[in-house]
Amino acid sequence: MGMAGAVSPVAAFAGYNPQKKGLIAEENKKAGTTDWQLTYVKSNNYRSPLIEGYCSKTSLRAGEPLDIFLSAEGLSGEKGFKTDVTIDFYRIGYYGGKGGRFMQRIGPLPVHTQPPPPIAEHRLRSCNWLPSASFTIPDEWVSGVYVGKLSCTAHRYQSYIIFIVRDDRKA
């Protein structure tokens, strides 16, 4: 007797239904881009002071606010440096093998050099920078890993901020 059309015992036990398409599977079928990848990067002792940033939260739900903290330096490290920075947000996923999908751009945002974080006990650092932007995660953003690609207009260097959008669906 053939196995054509039969569901494996593991799939049946797990509640697998080949006819039901998941939200993430549908999201990953959308058109992707490789533009999420950095093209100009320069680091210095694990930092990229030419353009760097962090988020107020590492994980949040759609509809929640996110503060973004940015700092940029000139190529010669001059004091009082100011520039504009754009942030292109991408959701990381399959997207036909491209690895990411463009979601939204914010900016240009005015950014200046913020003080370098001092190295504390156990090599911990706390930036305590002033926020550069506030952004509310759009309601239609599906859960997943997101990167904000930071691009400085004064020079070509780029960096990332990274955060997770989560939801309350059962896994």
Side-chain angles (χ1 to χ4, degrees):
M1 203 172 345
M3 292 290 294
V7 176
S8 77
V10 173
F13 178 75
Y16 174 75
N17 181 348
Q19 304 303 318
K20 184 178 178 183
K21 296 187 174 151
L23 184 62
I24 303 300
E26 287 302 309
E27 171 67 22
N28 280 320
K29 287 182 182 178
K30 294 179 180 175
T33 181
T34 57
D35 290 344
W36 62 273
Q37 297 175 17
L38 300 178
T39 52
Y40 299 104
V41 181
K42 184 176 182 181
S43 66
N44 174 1
N45 293 326
Y46 308 106
R47 287 185 55 217
S48 300
L50 292 173
I51 179 68
E52 59 187 341
Y54 65 95
C55 300
S56 59
K57 300 174 185 175
T58 56
S59 176
L60 65 165
R61 290 181 179 83
E64 290 185 343
L66 179 68
D67 289 332
I68 301 169
F69 303 83
L70 302 174
S71 180
E73 288 184 2
L75 293 175
S76 60
E78 62 268 21
K79 300 285 185 197
F81 181 77
K82 293 182 181 177
T83 187
D84 287 334
V85 172
T86 58
I87 306 174
D88 292 321
F89 292 101
Y90 297 88
R91 183 180 181 279
I92 302 303
Y94 178 68
Y95 300 111
K98 303 273 180 152
R101 179 167 83 96
F102 175 76
M103 303 302 287
Q104 184 173 341
R105 171 177 278 187
I106 63 172
L109 306 166
V111 174
H112 63 278
T113 304
Q114 302 220 41
I119 301 173
E121 187 178 3
H122 304 294
R123 299 193 50 80
L124 296 177
R125 294 178 183 249
S126 180
C127 288
N128 298 316
W129 290 349
L130 297 173
S132 302
S134 291
F135 175 70
T136 300
I137 304 300
D139 290 334
E140 64 274 7
W141 283 18
V142 175
S143 65
V145 176
Y146 287 77
V147 297
K149 181 179 173 182
L150 312 175
S151 298
C152 186
T153 59
H155 48 66
R156 63 186 184 177
Y157 291 100
Q158 302 167 324
S159 188
Y160 286 132
I161 54 173
I162 302 171
F163 57 94
I164 306 293
V165 173
R166 65 183 194 277
D167 64 22
D168 294 324
R169 293 179 302 124
K170 286 188 170 188

